[in-house]
Amino acid sequence: MTWTLENFPLEMQDLKPIIREKAIEIANQLKKERTVNELAIVEEAIKQAEEWFLNLEG
């Protein structure tokens, strides 16, 4: 199942909307690639999205 802005893991609920959107995108990609353990996808996606956001801000 693909996550969307309307249907995403609870762990992403408190993220800023821009970070949540990126985390959903990353999580869906990780699921497709199967490069990360299924249980760690959400955590890894949030981590990568937060790093992406920090790099965006400079």
Side-chain angles (χ1 to χ4, degrees), residues 15-54:
L15 297 175
K16 290 182 180 182
I18 190 170
I19 298 174
R20 182 184 314 121
E21 185 174 353
K22 188 66 173 180
I24 291 168
E25 176 186 326
I26 293 169
N28 286 328
Q29 188 64 37
L30 292 173
K31 283 173 70 173
K32 182 189 281 187
E33 294 173 357
R34 299 178 189 254
T35 55
V36 176
N37 180 304
E38 188 79 23
L39 299 174
I41 286 176
V42 173
E43 182 179 326
E44 181 64 24
I46 291 171
K47 178 182 152 204
Q48 287 185 28
E50 288 174 338
E51 289 174 2
W52 168 83
F53 185 72
L54 290 174

